[in-house]
Amino acid sequence: QNRTTIEELHKLLIAKDFTTIDTIIHIQCETTQFSYIVSKLKPFFNSFNPTSIERCGKFKTKTDTPLKANNLHKNKVHNPKEKEDIDKIINQLQ
């Protein structure tokens, strides 16, 4: 079940301040995958890092738990599941 649209995610990612956006982003992948995505996208978006993700409270896990910076840091891996697919998608965005 998708609870977040691509448009909602994009709007949040390009915002100068996450707190000005009312959208909640529901992450439907593993934390290791999302941590990898954050590290890859961080250079392209304003304040897109584990600390700002936690502080804004706009990102939730599959179980509706707010994402914490510590969870993203401790789940950082260089080879998450479906890495090749994630890399292809990110390369298409550039």
Side-chain angles (χ1 to χ4, degrees):
Q1 171 188 354
N2 289 333
R3 296 190 268 180
T4 304
T5 67
I6 300 270
E7 292 78 19
E8 290 170 326
L9 176 60
H10 183 256
K11 185 177 177 182
L12 187 82
L13 290 174
I14 62 172
K16 291 186 191 287
D17 179 4
F18 288 165
T19 61
T20 63
I21 306 297
D22 291 331
T23 301
I24 299 295
I25 305 299
H26 293 90
I27 304 302
Q28 297 297 309
C29 62
E30 294 177 1
T31 305
T32 54
Q33 291 171 312
F34 189 64
S35 180
Y36 179 77
I37 292 166
V38 170
S39 69
K40 290 295 190 178
L41 293 180
K42 184 178 171 182
F44 301 103
F45 296 100
N46 298 320
S47 301
F48 192 61
N49 58 63
T51 301
S52 63
I53 287 170
E54 177 179 347
R55 285 184 183 158
C56 76
K58 306 284 183 186
F59 291 83
K60 303 242 176 153
T61 66
K62 290 182 207 178
T63 59
D64 213 32
T65 304
L67 269 169
K68 302 289 186 189
N70 186 44
N71 287 348
L72 291 173
H73 287 300
K74 74 178 182 182
N75 283 292
K76 188 173 186 175
V77 295
H78 297 289
N79 196 20
K81 276 192 217 174
E82 302 176 20
K83 178 185 184 295
E84 291 177 12
D85 292 334
I86 294 168
D87 287 342
K88 282 180 192 175
I89 293 167
I90 290 172
N91 287 334
Q92 289 174 357
L93 298 172
Q94 297 177 4

